[in-house]
Amino acid sequence: MIKIAPSILSADFVNLERDIQRVSTADWLHVDVMDGCFVPNITIGVPVVQSIRKCTDMFLDVHLMIDKPVRYVEAFAQAGADLLSIHLEADHPTRIAEALKRMGEFGVKKAVALRPITAANAILPYLEELDMVLVMTVEPGFGGQAFMEHQLDTIRQVRTLIDRYHPACRLEVDGGISPKTAGAVIAAGADTLVAGSAVYGAADPAAAIAALREG
Ligand code: DX5
Ligand code: ZN
């Protein structure tokens, strides 16, 4: 089943509770954490995730665009994240493995994320223990960018690896997803779609969520 995860990066942060309620027909809530180091932008951190946890029961899909994410697994888990995505480019492989181990210890679901430059087979050392793989379809850092068409190949390659080695693993895509691009990413094998501007920029977010689900 296709899951839709609106990204609150495109919400009005002054009215965050209202904007979370506006997407309550979605499956997950996508929370973009940026550190100004791994990506040029700075967004939100642990205290905001804590506050979001208090105002919604939605599944919190927390995308960590931060260097050396192993340092913050415990804090985001305690803050109420249900799933953490860490970038494979953000640390050495042994520390990525350590971060995934900590996620298991703190009871959060485990995902690895790939920048557009990263090859699909980089997931192989971790795949069997993952709950999700996140394929970026823009360069991480900002909402509202154009979908990178060539990432359809990476999505297809990740789908092949998941089907072969760990079919229960979800495949999320993030960046430039709209009703125009949703069909192509679903056809390529994605089952979980993040969308920021396509949902929050729509006059009717619930209708946008429904349109994305249709592909
Ligand atoms: C970008 C973030 C995305 C962003 C997507 O680095 O990871 O989650 O919010 O925004 P749209 O859907 O507008 O491309
Ligand atoms: Zn994201």
Side-chain angles (χ1 to χ4, degrees):
M1 203 197 71
I2 303 295
K3 287 191 193 296
I4 307 299
S7 165
I8 57 161
L9 188 58
S10 295
D12 174 359
F13 284 178
V14 174
N15 294 294
L16 194 50
E17 184 169 13
R18 180 203 68 189
D19 275 6
I20 290 170
Q21 280 160 3
R22 285 174 79 206
V23 299
S24 61
T25 56
D27 303 280
W28 290 1
L29 198 65
H30 185 83
V31 181
D32 287 306
V33 175
M34 305 189 192
D35 66 353
C37 236
F38 182 72
V39 289
N41 201 2
I42 299 177
T43 54
I44 64 178
V46 175
V48 178
V49 174
Q50 253 165 4
S51 298
I52 294 171
R53 181 72 293 165
K54 287 185 200 142
C55 81
T56 181
D57 292 331
M58 286 178 84
F59 182 97
L60 297 186
D61 164 27
V62 177
H63 179 189
L64 298 179
M65 285 161 277
I66 64 176
D67 269 336
K68 303 192 180 357
V70 68
R71 300 173 296 153
Y72 288 98
V73 167
E74 178 174 0
F76 281 102
Q78 308 282 22
D82 292 296
L83 176 148
L84 293 175
S85 292
I86 56 169
H87 270 270
L88 288 182
E89 310 83 6
D91 210 341
H92 300 292
T94 52
R95 308 255 298 171
I96 295 294
E98 174 63 20
L100 293 171
K101 183 164 158 260
R102 276 195 206 179
M103 288 184 216
E105 287 163 6
F106 289 102
V108 289
K109 294 201 183 300
K110 308 172 187 183
V112 297
L114 278 65
R115 299 185 96 121
I117 188 82
T118 305
N121 63 12
I123 65 174
L124 280 173
Y126 316 100
L127 180 53
E128 282 174 26
E129 67 169 307
L130 298 178
D131 296 290
M132 191 178 84
V133 174
L134 165 51
V135 175
M136 292 304 299
T137 41
V138 298
E139 202 50 63
F142 300 91
Q145 303 181 76
F147 177 76
M148 291 175 161
E149 211 56 48
H150 65 82
Q151 281 301 83
L152 289 170
D153 279 342
T154 307
I155 297 166
R156 281 189 279 265
Q157 288 160 13
V158 170
R159 170 47 62 195
T160 301
L161 295 174
I162 286 176
D163 285 349
R164 187 175 306 159
Y165 296 111
H166 186 31
C169 185
R170 299 199 72 86
L171 202 179
E172 184 176 66
V173 289
D174 183 8
I177 304 298
S178 71
K180 285 202 180 92
T181 53
V185 295
I186 292 170
D191 55 30
T192 308
L193 276 54
V194 175
S197 43
V199 170
Y200 281 108
D204 181 351
I209 290 163
L212 288 166
R213 225 181 241 125
E214 291 304 305

